[in-house]
Amino acid sequence: NAGVTQTPKFRILKIGQSMTLQCTQDMNHNYMYWYRQDPGMGLKLIYYSVGAGITDKGEVPNGYNVSRSTTEDFPLRLELAAPSQTSVYFCASRWGRGAPEAFFGQGTRLTVV
Amino acid sequence: AQSVTQLDSHVSVSEGTPVLLRCNYSSSYSPSLFWYVQHPNKGLQLLLKYTSAATLVKGINGFEAEFKKSETSFHLTKPSAHMSDAAEYFCVVTRGGADGLTFGKGTHLIIQP
């Protein structure tokens, strides 16, 4: 059972470039999340989704976009990369209301130069 | 609204001695609480969870935590530290709704030989 899979693991972007971080889960979870982790700051919620076709902003959504066309996939798009987006990004999923435990991917370390 | 405060950014203990990582939470409803562990350059792994059942919760690798509503605390303990426990630990709260988990800023646990 693969759980939550993120790709790529590492990426270096130049300022102004775009990229998509991929996230796939095989647990048939309804809820999916994108977090960013910065040193000493814990994890901050970027976007989340409660099911295919439904997404909503989290605490720090500026500079990012998401889509959820299937239950399994929840890609995160950076349109115009900025140095402030240098971070480690984690995708997570959980079954839904009443099942609060979340499962995390291994993370994507992104550097914008 | 909900929030989490991890009272120590770094904790250093000797191998074989007890571990105490402190966490206080704020929540306007009955929360679910978690401790996650993150080893260097790895994803987040669930250590244990409290979801309104027994207030003393046992997790993996000998860790346990006690939910104290009167003190709004959820401290993590282990009787005897092992070198492999060196990692970042996150206290997390959620109301179980769609909008995900709220993370503390993390406690870095150092184990001295």
Side-chain angles (χ1 to χ4, degrees):
Chain A
N1 191 340
V4 180
T5 302
Q6 291 182 235
T7 56
K9 287 186 170 54
F10 304 93
R11 183 73 185 267
I12 298 174
L13 276 184
K14 294 184 178 179
I15 295 171
Q17 285 186 321
S18 301
M19 78 163 293
T20 299
L21 282 66
Q22 302 291 345
C23 176
T24 299
Q25 53 93 8
D26 63 359
M27 297 173 282
N28 203 30
H29 285 171
N30 294 309
Y31 293 3
M32 294 188 74
Y33 304 88
W34 276 105
Y35 291 89
R36 60 176 287 170
Q37 181 183 24
D38 300 300
M41 298 302 294
L43 276 72
K44 303 283 188 186
L45 182 63
I46 304 171
Y47 270 96
Y48 65 98
S49 168
V50 300
I54 306 169
T55 63
D56 208 346
K57 295 177 180 179
E59 184 180 357
V60 290
N62 291 344
Y64 306 95
N65 279 300
V66 294
S67 59
R68 182 100 181 266
S69 57
T70 67
T71 299
E72 295 79 18
D73 300 309
F74 189 42
L76 177 71
R77 177 86 177 159
L78 282 70
E79 290 293 348
L80 291 171
S84 61
Q85 293 177 305
T86 294
S87 188
V88 181
Y89 292 85
F90 287 99
C91 179
S93 73
R94 44 185 276 250
W95 174 250
R97 189 174 293 276
E101 175 183 340
F103 297 84
F104 286 81
Q106 291 296 297
T108 297
R109 183 175 296 274
L110 175 67
T111 303
V112 181
V113 297
Chain B
Q2 56 193 14
S3 65
V4 175
T5 302
Q6 292 184 240
L7 298 166
D8 306 291
S9 59
H10 293 78
V11 170
S12 180
V13 302
S14 298
E15 189 175 21
T17 64
V19 174
L20 170 64
L21 305 184
R22 298 181 294 165
C23 172
N24 287 113
Y25 70 93
S26 173
S27 177
S28 54
Y29 38 80
S30 296
S32 294
L33 291 154
F34 307 89
W35 278 97
Y36 281 85
V37 61
Q38 184 182 31
H39 290 278
N41 300 312
K42 299 291 186 184
L44 284 86
Q45 180 184 18
L46 181 67
L47 268 182
L48 49 80
K49 60 182 177 183
Y50 166 78
T51 55
S52 75
T55 56
L56 183 61
V57 180
K58 294 188 184 300
I60 62 172
N61 299 333
F63 285 94
E64 64 181 37
E66 186 171 9
F67 174 73
K68 292 187 176 180
K69 186 175 181 179
S70 60
E71 299 176 10
T72 61
S73 68
F74 191 58
H75 302 334
L76 181 70
T77 61
K78 182 173 181 178
S80 177
H82 191 273
M83 293 301 291
S84 61
D85 295 328
E88 191 83 13
Y89 291 78
F90 293 98
C91 183
V92 180
V93 65
T94 180
R95 61 177 178 172
D99 55 348
L101 312 174
T102 298
F103 282 76
K105 293 185 177 181
T107 297
H108 186 58
L109 178 62
I110 300 162
I111 310 296
Q112 305 282 359

